[in-house]
Structure formats: structure tokens, C-alpha cells
């Protein structure tokens, strides 16, 4: 089998691993193998220290204070906004709204944009492979205002049927909301084409980038989507913090989502006027510490280089795909041509949950179940899968341990 030293990568994986303290954990007597990165990535020491540093040296509420700490906290908070603007190549920092995660970002769009601009009979297109976070908020909106949800089908490999998508588009289509990268299958969707075709009929587009920003280069101005949502905890950053990108003109036209705090200009009992972007959408005290530490996470990713990360993860994916395919009775679910380092699989006669439990006993963390994509599982005719998802700190040796672990599970239960 391939040794780690034989890989061609500019990245020093041993050094990277040494920066993630949690990778030293012993689980059930074995060194941890963490293959649940699609759920959340682990955090480098730099991010953990940035969080502690914020609470030790800066902690204050932002925007309203005139004392030293409040000014410092505000400056650090706003520095993250500019950092993320650059990272994603958004046009303006005001187009970057801090939310609590992808789910929160999508709900902001369905509630603020959807309620104001979508009406009964308007069609909203999503796809079969959406995460529940990009299904349920749209269903709630449809129930409320009578919009119609249409679903792009997929093929057996887990790729969108683009012909069917094109057939669905009409002057009735007012919104398209699709996932950039599938969390269950790893499929990278052709979002540039999806956006262009939606715009041709005058529809707005949201891209759920929860699984994309840690694996592929995202250039928002090149993509030209109207909204883009993602969570920092899947990008080596803290939990409880996400981004909604929106084009300035659209965000300006939208009513606010939540009321209170920094989102006002002036309040009287007769009438309230609202703040400018981005504050109009940031009601209440935000998650300041996590926003501040998120900048360190983005710095970290940029220092490694997203292309170098993608290249290395692709090697892991190819290696794991070959190795797992050699296991008798194992079937990979999701074989799209364009994929990130996510592998869902089934093993004949063994329930995915049993696989997860028995691998955990060997110190290997994977995820099992429907991965919050129940309609996708229904389409595939399966209750769920086992899923191994790789990040930049994973190694070929760890994949060997997964293979050995699965062979053991088969001997025990097969
Ligand atoms: C594709 C996709 N969309 C949305 C989400 C929801 O993200 P969060 O729980 O951070 O809001 C996830 C999380 O797994 C995801 O994978």
C-alpha cells in the first residue's frame, strides 16, 4: 500500500497534524482516526488560542462602546468580515453577514427575502440531494405563502440531471437553491451553470456552500450567485458561527430578519428605521469570540492554500476509493465524476449503525445514518450509509486502518 511519504504534496502533513491537539486523543485504547469531517472539522491550536486570547485580553461588547476593549473587540470582529470578503472574493465587506451557521443563513433568506418577494404560484427549485437545512425552510415558506417547490432529480451516480433542471426553468421560476457539494455523496455540483441558467429566466440563486469552502476555491464574483451560505465549523473554525453572503442591492431591498440590537437606526414607539448593511441583519449581541477566532481559521486555510488542500484530499479520496472498492460486499454510494473527499458506503448484510459502533471501538470515528438528507436516501432506496469524510490532516495510514477495521467488522458480523 502507498506510504504517506510517497505522496506528492507541498503540504507537511505531519506538521499539520501536530497543530491539531485533538488528534492525540486515545479512543477506546487506540489513537483517534477522525473521519467525520463533513459533520465538523477539528480546530488547529491557532484557532483555539485565538478564542482563549479573545476572552483573556479583549472581551467586550462591540459597536456601542467607546472604551479600549470595546474598540478592540469591534476592530477584530470587523477584521474577520474583511478577511472573509477577500477569502471568497465578494465585492464588499457589507455583503458578508454574520449568522449562526448555514442553517441560520438559509432561514434568513427564506424568511426575509422569501416572505417579501415570493408569492403564491412562484416556483422554487431545489435538488434531490439537499441537506434538510435547504429543504425545510423552503417548505415552511411554501406552506405560508403558497409557493411551489420543484426538485431536480439525480442519476444513480449522484449527479444532478441538468437536462431536467433546464426543463423546469420558466418565467414562473423565482428562486433556485442548491447545494454546492453534497454532504452525503461528495458530489460537486455544476453551480456556475445552474446560476447562469436560473438568471436567464430572472430567478435568484442561493448556493449552500456548507461542504464546499473547506475543499474548493470559491470565487463569489465569478460564480455570480445572489446568496451563498456556509458554516465556519466545517472550515477548521469555531461552532455557532456562519456566513450569509448576499449581493448588496438585494440585501438592501430586503426587510430585516430579526429585530433588536444593532439592526436599528432609530427606534420610537411610532416607527423604527433600520441600520445599514451589514448590521441590518445582525440583531442582538453576535457570537463575537467565535467571529474573531474565525479569522484565524481562514488565515490557516489560506496559509496552507485551498488548492494544495484540494490536491492532497483528492489523493486521499482516490486511495480510499480504491481500497474500499476492494472489500468484498462493499458498495460506494455516490460515484460522481466531480467529488470532494467524502465516501458513503454500504456493506452487504451489515447495518450502517453497527459499522459505526464497531469502528468506534477501534478508535475510528465515522458518521452513519441519513446525514440529514432523508429525501436523498429515499431516492436511493436505502435507510442510510456509513460515511468517511477526509480533511487535510488525515493520512493514507488512517485509511489503511479503516480498511482493516472494516475487515474486522465483516469477520464479526458478516
Ligand atoms: C450541505 C449542508 N448544508 C447545510 C448544513 C447545515 O449546517 P449547520 O448545521 O452548520 O447549520 C450542513 C451540515 O452538515 C451541510 O452539510
Amino acid at each position: 500500500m502507498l506510504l504517506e511519504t510517497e505522496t506528492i504534496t507541498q503540504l507537511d502533513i505531519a506538521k499539520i497534524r501536530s497543530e491539531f491537539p485533538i488528534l492525540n486523543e486515545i479512543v477506546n485504547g487506540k489513537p483517534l482516526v477522525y473521519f467525520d469531517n463533513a459533520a465538523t472539522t477539528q480546530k488547529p491550536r491557532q484557532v483555539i488560542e485565538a478564542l482563549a486570547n479573545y476572552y483573556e485580553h479583549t472581551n467586550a461588547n462591540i459597536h456601542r462602546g467607546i472604551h479600549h476593549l470595546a474598540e478592540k473587540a469591534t476592530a477584530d470582529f470587523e477584521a474577520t468580515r474583511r478577511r472573509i470578503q477577500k477569502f471568497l472574493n465578494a465585492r464588499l465587506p457589507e455583503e458578508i453577514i454574520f449568522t449562526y451557521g448555514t442553517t441560520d443563513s438559509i432561514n434568513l433568506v427564506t424568511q426575509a427575502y422569501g416572505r417579501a418577494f415570493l408569492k403564491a404560484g412562484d416556483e422554487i427549485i431545489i435538488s434531490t440531494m439537499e441537506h434538510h437545512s435547504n429543504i425545510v425552510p423552503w417548505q415552511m415558506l411554501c406552506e405560508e405563502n403558497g409557493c411551489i417547490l420543484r426538485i431536480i432529480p439525480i442519476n444513480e451516480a449522484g449527479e444532478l440531471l441538468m437536462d431536467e433542471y433546464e426543463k423546469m426553468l420558466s418565467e414562473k421560476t423565482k428562486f433556485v437553491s442548491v447545494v454546492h457539494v453534497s454532504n452525503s455523496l461528495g458530489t460537486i455540483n455544476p453551480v456556475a451553470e445552474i446560476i447562469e441558467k436560473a438568471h436567464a429566466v430572472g430567478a435568484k440563486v442561493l448556493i449552500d456552500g456548507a461542504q464546499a469552502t473547506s475543499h474548493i476555491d470559491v470565487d463569489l464574483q465569478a460564480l455570480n450567485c445572489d446568496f451563498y451560505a456556509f458554516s465556519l465549523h466545517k472550515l477548521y473554525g469555531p461552532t455557532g458561527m456562519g456566513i450569509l453572503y448576499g449581493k448588496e442591492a438585494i440585501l438592501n431591498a430586503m426587510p430585516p430578519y430579526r429585530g433588536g440590537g444593532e439592526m436599528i437606526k432609530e427606534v420610537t414607539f411610532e416607527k423604527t428605521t433600520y441600520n445599514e448593511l451589514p448590521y441590518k441583519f445582525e440583531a442582538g449581541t453576535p457570537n463575537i469570540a467565535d467571529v474573531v477566532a474565525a479569522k484565524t481559521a481562514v488565515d490557516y486555510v489560506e496559509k496552507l492554500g485551498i488548492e494544495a488542500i484540494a490536491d492532497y484530499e483528492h489523493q486521499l479520496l482516490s486511495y480510499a476509493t480504491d481500497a474500499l472498492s476492494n472489500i468484498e460486499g462493499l458498495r460506494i454510494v455516490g460515484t460522481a465524476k466531480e467529488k470532494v473527499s467524502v465516501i458513503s458506503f454500504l456493506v452487504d448484510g451489515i447495518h450502517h449503525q453497527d459499522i459505526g459502533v464497531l469502528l468506534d471501538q477501534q478508535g475510528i470515528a465515522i458518521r452513519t445514518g441519513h446525514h440529514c438528507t432523508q429525501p436523498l436516501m429515499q431516492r436511493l432506496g436505502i435507510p442510510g450509509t456509513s460515511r468517511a469524510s477526509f480533511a487535510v490532516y488525515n493520512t493514507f495510514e488512517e485509511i489503511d486502518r479503516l480498511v482493516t477495521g472494516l475487515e474486522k467488522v465483516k469477520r464479526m458480523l458478516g
Side-chain angles (χ1 to χ4, degrees), residues 90-116:
R91 201 168 61 84
L92 301 166
E94 291 79 7
E95 295 178 320
I96 303 296
I97 312 290
F98 292 129
T99 65
Y100 298 102
T102 311
T103 307
D104 191 38
S105 299
I106 296 173
N107 276 275
L108 193 166
V109 175
T110 60
Q111 292 303 302
Y113 183 91
R115 278 173 157 182

mmCIF file of all heavy atoms in Angstrom, residues 90-116:
data_model
loop_
_atom_site.group_PDB
_atom_site.id
_atom_site.type_symbol
_atom_site.label_atom_id
_atom_site.label_comp_id
_atom_site.label_asym_id
_atom_site.label_seq_id
_atom_site.Cartn_x
_atom_site.Cartn_y
_atom_site.Cartn_z
ATOM 1 N N ALA A 90 -15.790 38.338 -2.434
ATOM 2 C CA ALA A 90 -17.035 39.123 -2.512
ATOM 3 C C ALA A 90 -16.646 40.551 -2.865
ATOM 4 O O ALA A 90 -15.506 40.969 -2.647
ATOM 5 C CB ALA A 90 -17.779 39.083 -1.190
ATOM 6 N N ARG A 91 -17.591 41.300 -3.385
ATOM 7 C CA ARG A 91 -17.264 42.653 -3.838
ATOM 8 C C ARG A 91 -17.033 43.599 -2.656
ATOM 9 O O ARG A 91 -16.143 44.438 -2.678
ATOM 10 C CB ARG A 91 -18.406 43.177 -4.737
ATOM 11 C CG ARG A 91 -18.028 44.314 -5.673
ATOM 12 C CD ARG A 91 -19.126 44.557 -6.695
ATOM 13 N NE ARG A 91 -20.390 44.929 -6.072
ATOM 14 C CZ ARG A 91 -20.718 46.163 -5.696
ATOM 15 N NH1 ARG A 91 -19.879 47.154 -5.895
ATOM 16 N NH2 ARG A 91 -21.887 46.400 -5.134
ATOM 17 N N LEU A 92 -17.859 43.449 -1.610
ATOM 18 C CA LEU A 92 -17.825 44.385 -0.479
ATOM 19 C C LEU A 92 -17.903 43.660 0.861
ATOM 20 O O LEU A 92 -18.608 42.642 0.960
ATOM 21 C CB LEU A 92 -19.062 45.303 -0.538
ATOM 22 C CG LEU A 92 -19.266 46.163 -1.767
ATOM 23 C CD1 LEU A 92 -20.681 46.699 -1.781
ATOM 24 C CD2 LEU A 92 -18.246 47.294 -1.745
ATOM 25 N N PRO A 93 -17.268 44.204 1.897
ATOM 26 C CA PRO A 93 -17.428 43.582 3.229
ATOM 27 C C PRO A 93 -18.879 43.632 3.715
ATOM 28 O O PRO A 93 -19.315 42.756 4.446
ATOM 29 C CB PRO A 93 -16.505 44.414 4.136
ATOM 30 C CG PRO A 93 -16.062 45.579 3.351
ATOM 31 C CD PRO A 93 -16.311 45.321 1.901
ATOM 32 N N GLU A 94 -19.623 44.653 3.278
ATOM 33 C CA GLU A 94 -21.032 44.794 3.708
ATOM 34 C C GLU A 94 -21.897 43.647 3.195
ATOM 35 O O GLU A 94 -23.030 43.461 3.646
ATOM 36 C CB GLU A 94 -21.625 46.119 3.198
ATOM 37 C CG GLU A 94 -21.055 47.364 3.850
ATOM 38 C CD GLU A 94 -19.686 47.782 3.288
ATOM 39 O OE1 GLU A 94 -19.222 47.172 2.288
ATOM 40 O OE2 GLU A 94 -19.062 48.684 3.871
ATOM 41 N N GLU A 95 -21.368 42.905 2.224
ATOM 42 C CA GLU A 95 -22.152 41.782 1.693
ATOM 43 C C GLU A 95 -21.968 40.513 2.522
ATOM 44 O O GLU A 95 -22.567 39.483 2.222
ATOM 45 C CB GLU A 95 -21.738 41.508 0.237
ATOM 46 C CG GLU A 95 -22.083 42.681 -0.683
ATOM 47 C CD GLU A 95 -21.633 42.467 -2.126
ATOM 48 O OE1 GLU A 95 -20.531 41.924 -2.330
ATOM 49 O OE2 GLU A 95 -22.377 42.847 -3.048
ATOM 50 N N ILE A 96 -21.119 40.594 3.544
ATOM 51 C CA ILE A 96 -20.852 39.439 4.407
ATOM 52 C C ILE A 96 -21.625 39.630 5.715
ATOM 53 O O ILE A 96 -21.303 40.501 6.521
ATOM 54 C CB ILE A 96 -19.325 39.332 4.710
ATOM 55 C CG1 ILE A 96 -18.522 39.240 3.406
ATOM 56 C CG2 ILE A 96 -19.036 38.173 5.658
ATOM 57 C CD1 ILE A 96 -18.773 38.021 2.555
ATOM 58 N N ILE A 97 -22.641 38.799 5.915
ATOM 59 C CA ILE A 97 -23.468 38.879 7.132
ATOM 60 C C ILE A 97 -23.066 37.740 8.064
ATOM 61 O O ILE A 97 -23.002 36.583 7.620
ATOM 62 C CB ILE A 97 -24.982 38.694 6.786
ATOM 63 C CG1 ILE A 97 -25.414 39.563 5.606
ATOM 64 C CG2 ILE A 97 -25.852 38.897 8.024
ATOM 65 C CD1 ILE A 97 -25.461 41.026 5.868
ATOM 66 N N PHE A 98 -22.818 38.068 9.332
ATOM 67 C CA PHE A 98 -22.521 37.016 10.299
ATOM 68 C C PHE A 98 -23.825 36.402 10.794
ATOM 69 O O PHE A 98 -24.739 37.124 11.228
ATOM 70 C CB PHE A 98 -21.734 37.573 11.486
ATOM 71 C CG PHE A 98 -20.338 38.008 11.119
ATOM 72 C CD1 PHE A 98 -19.875 39.257 11.468
ATOM 73 C CD2 PHE A 98 -19.494 37.151 10.419
ATOM 74 C CE1 PHE A 98 -18.588 39.661 11.123
ATOM 75 C CE2 PHE A 98 -18.206 37.549 10.068
ATOM 76 C CZ PHE A 98 -17.754 38.799 10.425
ATOM 77 N N THR A 99 -23.876 35.063 10.718
ATOM 78 C CA THR A 99 -25.051 34.333 11.207
ATOM 79 C C THR A 99 -24.545 33.269 12.177
ATOM 80 O O THR A 99 -23.366 33.248 12.524
ATOM 81 C CB THR A 99 -25.792 33.652 10.042
ATOM 82 O OG1 THR A 99 -24.935 32.645 9.489
ATOM 83 C CG2 THR A 99 -26.183 34.653 8.960
ATOM 84 N N TYR A 100 -25.438 32.365 12.563
ATOM 85 C CA TYR A 100 -25.016 31.302 13.487
ATOM 86 C C TYR A 100 -24.659 30.019 12.741
ATOM 87 O O TYR A 100 -24.347 29.022 13.352
ATOM 88 C CB TYR A 100 -26.103 31.088 14.548
ATOM 89 C CG TYR A 100 -26.281 32.353 15.359
ATOM 90 C CD1 TYR A 100 -27.339 33.219 15.132
ATOM 91 C CD2 TYR A 100 -25.327 32.708 16.312
ATOM 92 C CE1 TYR A 100 -27.449 34.414 15.838
ATOM 93 C CE2 TYR A 100 -25.427 33.897 17.012
ATOM 94 C CZ TYR A 100 -26.489 34.749 16.768
ATOM 95 O OH TYR A 100 -26.575 35.922 17.460
ATOM 96 N N GLY A 101 -24.735 30.020 11.425
ATOM 97 C CA GLY A 101 -24.372 28.832 10.654
ATOM 98 C C GLY A 101 -25.139 28.792 9.349
ATOM 99 O O GLY A 101 -25.964 29.668 9.059
ATOM 100 N N THR A 102 -24.892 27.769 8.570
ATOM 101 C CA THR A 102 -25.548 27.630 7.267
ATOM 102 C C THR A 102 -27.073 27.623 7.408
ATOM 103 O O THR A 102 -27.792 28.285 6.654
ATOM 104 C CB THR A 102 -25.114 26.302 6.605
ATOM 105 O OG1 THR A 102 -23.698 26.203 6.664
ATOM 106 C CG2 THR A 102 -25.574 26.225 5.164
ATOM 107 N N THR A 103 -27.549 26.844 8.373
ATOM 108 C CA THR A 103 -28.997 26.717 8.577
ATOM 109 C C THR A 103 -29.605 28.088 8.847
ATOM 110 O O THR A 103 -30.646 28.457 8.279
ATOM 111 C CB THR A 103 -29.273 25.769 9.765
ATOM 112 O OG1 THR A 103 -28.562 24.553 9.539
ATOM 113 C CG2 THR A 103 -30.744 25.500 9.951
ATOM 114 N N ASP A 104 -28.958 28.833 9.726
ATOM 115 C CA ASP A 104 -29.441 30.168 10.072
ATOM 116 C C ASP A 104 -29.411 31.089 8.843
ATOM 117 O O ASP A 104 -30.346 31.864 8.608
ATOM 118 C CB ASP A 104 -28.545 30.729 11.193
ATOM 119 C CG ASP A 104 -29.107 31.984 11.823
ATOM 120 O OD1 ASP A 104 -30.340 32.063 12.002
ATOM 121 O OD2 ASP A 104 -28.319 32.892 12.131
ATOM 122 N N SER A 105 -28.355 30.958 8.043
ATOM 123 C CA SER A 105 -28.234 31.797 6.837
ATOM 124 C C SER A 105 -29.375 31.515 5.864
ATOM 125 O O SER A 105 -29.956 32.438 5.276
ATOM 126 C CB SER A 105 -26.902 31.526 6.127
ATOM 127 O OG SER A 105 -25.820 31.828 6.964
ATOM 128 N N ILE A 106 -29.685 30.240 5.687
ATOM 129 C CA ILE A 106 -30.755 29.884 4.730
ATOM 130 C C ILE A 106 -32.108 30.364 5.266
ATOM 131 O O ILE A 106 -32.937 30.897 4.511
ATOM 132 C CB ILE A 106 -30.751 28.366 4.437
ATOM 133 C CG1 ILE A 106 -29.425 27.988 3.747
ATOM 134 C CG2 ILE A 106 -31.947 27.970 3.554
ATOM 135 C CD1 ILE A 106 -29.200 26.498 3.551
ATOM 136 N N ASN A 107 -32.310 30.208 6.568
ATOM 137 C CA ASN A 107 -33.567 30.706 7.157
ATOM 138 C C ASN A 107 -33.694 32.218 7.010
ATOM 139 O O ASN A 107 -34.794 32.741 6.828
ATOM 140 C CB ASN A 107 -33.667 30.302 8.636
ATOM 141 C CG ASN A 107 -34.222 28.891 8.786
ATOM 142 O OD1 ASN A 107 -35.433 28.696 8.793
ATOM 143 N ND2 ASN A 107 -33.343 27.911 8.867
ATOM 144 N N LEU A 108 -32.556 32.916 7.092
ATOM 145 C CA LEU A 108 -32.598 34.372 6.884
ATOM 146 C C LEU A 108 -33.139 34.679 5.484
ATOM 147 O O LEU A 108 -34.002 35.547 5.304
ATOM 148 C CB LEU A 108 -31.184 34.948 7.067
ATOM 149 C CG LEU A 108 -31.005 36.456 7.199
ATOM 150 C CD1 LEU A 108 -29.596 36.779 7.701
ATOM 151 C CD2 LEU A 108 -31.295 37.276 5.968
ATOM 152 N N VAL A 109 -32.670 33.924 4.507
ATOM 153 C CA VAL A 109 -33.102 34.187 3.119
ATOM 154 C C VAL A 109 -34.575 33.812 2.936
ATOM 155 O O VAL A 109 -35.351 34.583 2.359
ATOM 156 C CB VAL A 109 -32.204 33.424 2.110
ATOM 157 C CG1 VAL A 109 -32.724 33.582 0.689
ATOM 158 C CG2 VAL A 109 -30.774 33.956 2.202
ATOM 159 N N THR A 110 -34.973 32.633 3.433
ATOM 160 C CA THR A 110 -36.376 32.233 3.217
ATOM 161 C C THR A 110 -37.317 33.193 3.937
ATOM 162 O O THR A 110 -38.375 33.540 3.403
ATOM 163 C CB THR A 110 -36.648 30.786 3.684
ATOM 164 O OG1 THR A 110 -36.364 30.676 5.077
ATOM 165 C CG2 THR A 110 -35.822 29.786 2.906
ATOM 166 N N GLN A 111 -36.922 33.626 5.125
ATOM 167 C CA GLN A 111 -37.821 34.488 5.902
ATOM 168 C C GLN A 111 -37.791 35.950 5.444
ATOM 169 O O GLN A 111 -38.839 36.582 5.322
ATOM 170 C CB GLN A 111 -37.480 34.397 7.394
ATOM 171 C CG GLN A 111 -37.801 33.035 7.991
ATOM 172 C CD GLN A 111 -39.270 32.656 7.815
ATOM 173 O OE1 GLN A 111 -40.168 33.357 8.244
ATOM 174 N NE2 GLN A 111 -39.517 31.536 7.147
ATOM 175 N N ALA A 112 -36.603 36.473 5.203
ATOM 176 C CA ALA A 112 -36.536 37.898 4.856
ATOM 177 C C ALA A 112 -36.791 38.110 3.352
ATOM 178 O O ALA A 112 -37.669 38.894 2.975
ATOM 179 C CB ALA A 112 -35.182 38.476 5.256
ATOM 180 N N TYR A 113 -36.070 37.384 2.514
ATOM 181 C CA TYR A 113 -36.288 37.553 1.066
ATOM 182 C C TYR A 113 -37.595 36.890 0.647
ATOM 183 O O TYR A 113 -38.432 37.485 -0.048
ATOM 184 C CB TYR A 113 -35.115 36.966 0.256
ATOM 185 C CG TYR A 113 -35.297 37.194 -1.227
ATOM 186 C CD1 TYR A 113 -34.787 38.329 -1.831
ATOM 187 C CD2 TYR A 113 -36.024 36.290 -2.009
ATOM 188 C CE1 TYR A 113 -34.987 38.570 -3.184
ATOM 189 C CE2 TYR A 113 -36.236 36.516 -3.361
ATOM 190 C CZ TYR A 113 -35.712 37.668 -3.933
ATOM 191 O OH TYR A 113 -35.925 37.906 -5.260
ATOM 192 N N GLY A 114 -37.760 35.625 1.088
ATOM 193 C CA GLY A 114 -38.901 34.821 0.632
ATOM 194 C C GLY A 114 -40.242 35.455 0.965
ATOM 195 O O GLY A 114 -41.123 35.573 0.110
ATOM 196 N N ARG A 115 -40.382 35.877 2.217
ATOM 197 C CA ARG A 115 -41.673 36.461 2.623
ATOM 198 C C ARG A 115 -41.976 37.746 1.876
ATOM 199 O O ARG A 115 -43.131 38.053 1.589
ATOM 200 C CB ARG A 115 -41.658 36.771 4.111
ATOM 201 C CG ARG A 115 -41.954 35.564 4.955
ATOM 202 C CD ARG A 115 -41.725 35.982 6.366
ATOM 203 N NE ARG A 115 -42.434 35.162 7.306
ATOM 204 C CZ ARG A 115 -42.396 35.385 8.603
ATOM 205 N NH1 ARG A 115 -41.702 36.401 9.073
ATOM 206 N NH2 ARG A 115 -43.041 34.605 9.417
ATOM 207 N N ALA A 116 -40.930 38.516 1.582
ATOM 208 C CA ALA A 116 -41.154 39.816 0.938
ATOM 209 C C ALA A 116 -41.338 39.701 -0.571
ATOM 210 O O ALA A 116 -42.105 40.456 -1.160
ATOM 211 C CB ALA A 116 -39.974 40.751 1.242
#
